[in-house]
Every structure is written in C-alpha cells, then in structure tokens.
Amino acid sequence: MTYRALFLDIDGTILQPDHTYAPSTLEAIQQVKEAGMEVFLCTGRPFVDIQNLTVDFGITSSVTYNGAYALYQGDVIFNAPMNKEDVEKMVSVAGQSESELVLYTTENNYFTSLTSPHVESFNRVFQLYQNKLFTSEVADKIISASAINVSKDQVKDFEVTDDFHLTKVNVEHASESYDVLRTSVNKGVAIAQMLNHLDISPSEAVAFGDGMNDREMLKFVGTGIAMGNADPRLVEYADFQTTPVTDSGIFNGLKKLGLVK
C-alpha cells in the first residue's frame, strides 16, 4: 500500500500527559516527511495555540477545532463557523448552571468566565493562552466549543440542535470537560475536503487518534490507528491499536505499516 498523507491528533496521541512528546515521535514524523508524505496536525485544539508544535515538527498544514477549520500550507481549505443562534443557546445553558464554555474563533479563545477554578484548571491542562471573556459581539465568529464542568445529566442540555453532540475529553484531569461536536462538521469531514483538494484517495491516508472526537477521522481514512491509551469505544473504529502515547505509539504504528525504520 502506498500512503501519501498522515493525520495526527495531538493530546494523548502526540503529547503525553506531561505535555511533552517522545523523541521517537519526532523521528517518525521526520522519516515520513522525508519519504514525501503530507503530514497534518488534526486536533480539537485552537489553531492559535498549536504554533509551538508546528515549529517543532515542521508541519505547515492542520485540521483544528475538531474539523471546523483546515489549512494547507497557509491556505484555508475548510472553514465552518457555528450558527450564531446555536452559540447563544449554549451560552444561556451555561449561564443557568455552574458549567462554563470556551468558544473558539480563529484568533482567540472566548470563555464565559476567566476566573472560574474549572476554567483555570482547563487552561492548565490544555495550555491555552489567547484567552478573552466572551461577549455577544463575537457570537457569529465561533467555529468550535468546549463545555467545562459538565455533569452527565447536563450533557443533553448543551446539545441544542440535532446536529450537536458532546464527547468527553479523553485527557487526564479534564474528565468533566466535553468537546461540542457537530455531526455535519468533524475531523472526517475536514479530512475529506483536504484530500479532495490534494487529489489524494482516502485509501492513501493514515490517521492516529485516542478520543471519540477522532471516530469519524479513523473511519474515513484508509488506515485508522487507535492509540494504546485510547477511549475503549474508539478501538472498534480503528484498523488496529498501537502502543500508548507513553510507549512510542506513533512510531510503533507507522513501523507496523512499514513507513518508518
């Protein structure tokens, strides 16, 4: 099999629980790039807060905000903002509870509170820095969201339309946080747009992930690989499971495919 594109989730896939990455991960990425593969960061994280990784790995293309925004070497390939009314409904739900929201634009991360201890904890875990207080003036610019300090019985409240669903963040110390996803906009949809732009077949693409926000991505590409530390529910959507992020999961998965030595 010839592979031409590689999509890599960040948290729990590239990054270990202490926010570092293994030397073997950098080596693996360098090897596949030298072999001519297109490599993409594919994450729920904001584009503005992954720049250190793009520099470290020399990766100039990405799918961010859980598929709502995709760039190829600086050119916007896909951009799907949320409906303003839906954003306002979610903000109203958060305002009626002790939950908080982070609402992402391509320039900043807007929080419903900047002083909540739950927000402060979330920011420590995900190392977000471009943070501002949400105002209604940016409601029409939101392209993705996360809900913080949400109990199980509150999840449905944030699913404000049939297109919305929440998936628990598969990251240590963020167990009460959820990605706000849309069925119509996800990593798989964005990857389809990217591959079409590059004239690459899905069968020629590989993807690694660990959380349920990676489900559509692993299903869409030719070879989807779940990390050893993945949410157990994700494994059924993968072609195989590699070792954990703390045990050279990316390197070992690519080695199994014969893409690294």
Side-chain angles (χ1 to χ4, degrees):
M1 170 64 69
T2 299
Y3 292 106
R4 298 173 57 196
L6 172 63
F7 295 88
L8 299 170
D9 176 52
I10 292 181
D11 295 291
T13 301
I14 289 177
L15 291 183
Q16 302 174 116
D18 64 356
H19 306 298
T20 64
Y21 52 82
S24 64
T25 298
L26 180 58
E27 172 63 24
I29 291 172
Q30 289 175 336
Q31 284 195 37
V32 296
K33 285 177 61 183
E34 289 169 2
M37 287 185 71
E38 300 275 7
V39 182
F40 302 81
L41 297 177
C42 195
T43 178
R45 282 178 177 253
F47 174 74
V48 293
D49 288 310
I50 66 168
Q51 300 313 302
N52 60 322
L53 289 177
T54 65
V55 172
D56 287 359
F57 292 111
I59 297 174
T60 57
S61 303
S62 60
V63 173
T64 49
Y65 307 98
N66 280 313
Y69 191 66
L71 290 174
Y72 179 69
Q73 297 182 359
D75 293 331
V76 178
I77 304 303
F78 187 65
N79 184 16
M82 288 182 166
N83 182 283
K84 178 182 178 181
E85 288 72 24
D86 295 338
V87 170
E88 291 171 339
K89 287 178 184 177
M90 286 193 294
V91 171
S92 176
V93 169
Q96 298 170 34
S97 69
E98 295 184 3
S99 301
E100 304 292 350
L101 286 169
V102 50
L103 300 139
Y104 306 105
T105 72
T106 56
E107 297 178 349
N108 294 290
N109 314 314
Y110 290 91
F111 287 83
T112 49
S113 168
L114 291 174
T115 58
S116 160
H118 303 292
V119 167
E120 292 175 349
S121 175
F122 186 89
N123 283 337
R124 283 195 297 272
V125 170
F126 292 103
Q127 300 177 304
L128 303 184
Y129 302 109
Q130 303 295 323
N131 304 332
K132 293 187 176 183
L133 189 65
F134 173 80
T135 69
S136 58
E137 293 176 358
V138 297
D140 61 342
K141 299 178 176 63
I142 305 303
I143 59 175
S144 185
S146 299
I148 304 167
N149 190 39
V150 178
S151 64
K152 288 184 178 179
D153 60 355
Q154 290 177 302
V155 168
K156 288 293 182 184
D157 295 336
F158 284 96
E159 295 175 340
V160 295
T161 75
D162 291 341
D163 193 34
F164 281 64
H165 61 281
L166 269 61
T167 63
K168 184 169 280 193
V169 175
N170 188 47
V171 174
E172 232 177 292
H173 308 303
S175 59
E176 300 307 316
S177 298
Y178 290 79
D179 288 315
V180 180
L181 304 180
R182 288 172 282 169
T183 301
S184 59
V185 179
N186 54 60
K187 292 184 180 183
V189 169
I191 289 173
Q193 295 283 333
M194 185 67 71
L195 295 182
N196 181 64
H197 176 74
L198 297 174
D199 195 23
I200 295 175
S201 166
S203 65
E204 299 174 299
V206 182
F208 286 75
D210 72 302
M212 288 305 289
N213 62 326
D214 299 313
R215 179 182 61 180
E216 290 83 3
M217 171 174 74
L218 298 196
K219 288 173 61 178
F220 181 76
V221 298
T223 303
I225 303 170
M227 301 296 289
N229 50 283
D231 185 318
R233 297 172 298 168
L234 182 69
V235 178
E236 68 177 283
Y237 299 100
D239 292 283
F240 66 89
Q241 187 169 23
T242 185
T243 52
V245 64
T246 52
D247 185 23
S248 301
I250 290 175
F251 187 94
N252 290 333
L254 292 174
K255 187 173 182 180
K256 183 172 181 176
L257 295 178
L259 296 175
V260 300
K261 298 178 181 178

